[in-house]
Amino acid sequence: MKYLSRPEEIVLLAIWKLGKSAYGVTIRKHVQEATNKYWSIGAIYVPLERLERKGFVHSYSSEPTAERGGRSKRYFEITEDGLEALEELKKVNQAIWSGYPGIVSDK
Amino acid sequence: MKYLSRPEEIVLLAIWKLGKSAYGVTIRKHVQEATNKYWSIGAIYVPLERLERKGFVHSYSSEPTAERGGRSKRYFEITEDGLEALEELKKVNQAIWSGYPGIVSDK
DNA sequence: TATTAGTTCTACACCATAGAACTAATAATT
DNA sequence: AATTATTAGTTCTATGGTGTAGAACTAATA
């Protein structure tokens, strides 16, 4: 299994953390805060599209909300395969970083 | 500063860990063991080339050794910029993974 | 001349990233 | 009430860069 690219990893983790409230705008906000960097709109939506095509996330449209501009949102949720990919990635990360200063390997 | 791609991260960490003995073949071996996956020759050397172009590593040729096929090796060493990039990456990794089960954030 | 350790080369599909354009809702204006 | 402005949100698309494979090449000893 190929691993996820870094943007895919970052976006997928954001979805995992956001749970039920994961849609384009909240994901982007979360990612920008976590990485402390500007992310363009495309830098979020393109990986989202690819994650969905690969089966790591699934999306559905909500009802519009009754606020100005409150159009229907496209919510994302992580799939079983997505969870597995995260576990796999976690293992690889721990393996490659183990021994580096400031990294606690929890065994 | 853009982050390193994943192959670049993996290869750079391998160089860091290998220290004085980092050259193409040992790097490849180390990376394959750490990730438990097959890596083609190009999958190692191309990122190496790019890391050098970006100033994260530096390379030099050794004297040939006196063994069959023992031609001169191209050793790699991590630069100051490379070390900084690793520190930056470590921070990003900790930020995006914090809160995920099985991750110890050492604060 | 054969064999071996090691590196260079290169091709191509896929990915990263930016941001303009589009959509569909409510609010303001006449 | 009809029209226009504003807003939240998503879709689209272009382009340069990256990921990955492995064949070809090189330079040493057997």
Side-chain angles (χ1 to χ4, degrees), chain A residues 2 4 6 15 20 31-32 55 58 77 91 96:
Chain A
K2 284 194 40 185
L4 302 178
R6 193 173 319 279
I15 294 170
K20 300 220 161 308
V31 165
Q32 294 198 131
H58 159 258
E77 50 192 17
K91 273 192 216 131
I96 66 180

Side-chain angles (χ1 to χ4, degrees), chain B residues 2 23-25 41 45-46 68-69 71 73-74:
Chain B
K2 283 194 43 189
Y23 70 99
V25 172
I41 293 169
Y45 279 96
V46 172
R68 185 178 233 205
R71 58 178 294 195
K73 302 174 174 65
R74 183 175 168 202

